[in-house]
Amino acid sequence: MSDAKALFGGGVAVITGAGAGIGAGLARHAALELGMTVVLADVDTAAIAALRAELEAAGARAVDVACDVRDPGALERLAERTVTEVGPVRLLVNNAGVEQFGYLWDTPVANWERLVSINVNGVFHGIRAFLPRMLAEAGRSWVWNLSSIGGVSAAPLQAPYIMSKHAVLALTECLHQEVELAGHAGHVHVQAVLPGAVASDIFESAGAVEDGDIAAAEEHREAMLKVKAQAMDPLDAARVFFDQAAAGEFYLTSQPFVVDAMAARADTLAHRRAPVLLQGEFTVPAE
């Protein structure tokens, strides 16, 4: 038995944004390979219903729940329903997220506010709803917040997304310290997930700009879709994340080049250099 299966097997995992991409990959691995019961939360009810049916057909246990992470009440209801009807939460994955392309000054206010409310506020609402319940349980549990390689780097034409992932990483680092300060370090384990290039539909569904330099925004979308074509399968990424979590890592990274980006960021800050313009360099490094 793997360390991940020993730790997580038989427990309940709640995954927001579970309808596609990384969220669906985590759900499939947790349910089919680790034997977890998965609670699939998403605004795309058709997607999570289909995934629940797929998992149940394979003999796994899954529950699908419509949930908009922008609504703190929805997360509170999800937490209460999970604990009452499914069981104590062993793993909470705050994964729901959206992208935005274009120059920052061209970004529609509504798009900015939507992205922040999902990518940042959604993580906060998830923690507020679930963590007190997890702290009250006797068993060990884990909280994963989805940052990104974008959380340790900078890139043009997707500033709202990059900003949000920096925010989630900082939030997670602070939460890790607060859990320790409150005396729960051996009880609740907080970890930051930093995917590099993992296949999802986030680029296709990314927000656009309505005026200004529309061409630049769409050219960037096309560049990122080329990255997707080289990206890691979400199921493979899920295996890596669970193995690293079981080993006690704090930063869960999908590929070695994410660690390289972390080192580059640290070096840039240590030497107080201005960010280097990334232009035409959006590729997946060979491992």
Side-chain angles (χ1 to χ4, degrees):
M1 179 184 294
S2 70
D3 290 342
K5 189 165 187 177
L7 285 176
F8 296 103
V12 174
V14 178
I15 304 169
T16 68
I22 293 172
L26 290 169
R28 289 187 174 98
H29 181 74
L32 301 176
E33 299 190 37
L34 302 183
M36 300 188 79
T37 297
V38 291
V39 177
L40 311 169
D42 206 305
V43 293
D44 189 340
T45 55
I48 54 175
L51 180 55
R52 174 189 52 76
E54 172 195 324
L55 296 176
E56 288 181 339
R61 187 180 178 207
V63 179
D64 57 308
V65 182
C67 183
D68 187 339
V69 299
R70 295 174 292 182
D71 177 5
L75 269 301
E76 185 65 30
R77 291 188 294 275
L78 176 65
E80 184 61 25
R81 177 178 174 184
T82 299
V83 172
T84 303
E85 300 179 13
V86 185
V89 177
R90 187 167 302 173
L91 174 64
L92 168 66
V93 184
N94 290 306
N95 166 72
V98 294
E99 253 278 21
Q100 171 67 39
F101 295 137
Y103 286 109
L104 186 59
W105 55 86
D106 290 338
T107 301
V109 171
N111 288 19
W112 170 273
E113 292 179 342
R114 175 175 180 267
L115 183 144
V116 172
S117 67
I118 294 172
N119 292 15
V120 181
N121 295 352
V123 175
F124 169 67
H125 297 326
I127 290 165
R128 280 274 300 174
F130 281 90
L131 191 56
R133 291 172 167 87
M134 296 166 77
L135 293 173
E137 292 290 341
R140 296 171 69 190
S141 57
W142 284 258
V143 176
W144 294 2
N145 295 330
L146 266 287
S147 180
S148 164
I149 188 173
V152 293
S153 57
L157 298 166
Q158 53 187 123
Y161 177 81
I162 296 288
M163 174 281 302
S164 73
K165 294 306 180 180
H166 276 257
V168 169
L169 183 58
L171 179 154
T172 307
E173 291 168 338
C174 292
L175 181 63
H176 182 272
Q177 294 184 36
E178 291 183 1
V179 166
E180 181 177 355
L181 180 65
H184 299 289
H187 176 201
V188 176
H189 307 269
V190 177
Q191 294 164 315
V193 183
L194 289 85
V198 179
S200 77
D201 296 331
I202 196 168
F203 299 141
E204 289 93 335
S205 61
V209 299
E210 299 164 354
D211 48 38
D213 198 335
I214 296 172
E218 292 310 312
E219 286 170 9
H220 193 75
R221 186 192 305 274
E222 291 304 314
M224 299 311 292
L225 287 172
K226 291 178 181 177
V227 171
K228 176 183 175 179
Q230 312 167 60
M232 189 178 197
D233 184 276
L235 195 56
D236 293 333
R239 293 189 185 98
V240 172
F241 294 144
F242 271 101
D243 286 345
Q244 291 175 359
E249 299 287 343
F250 174 77
Y251 299 101
L252 312 183
T253 58
S254 58
Q255 292 124 315
F257 67 78
V258 179
V259 180
D260 294 340
M262 296 166 76
R265 174 71 174 175
D267 187 67
T268 295
L269 293 173
H271 292 89
R272 298 188 296 167
R273 289 193 295 269
V276 175
L277 175 62
L278 297 178
Q279 198 168 18
E281 301 172 28
F282 303 104
T283 58
V284 178
E287 302 295 356

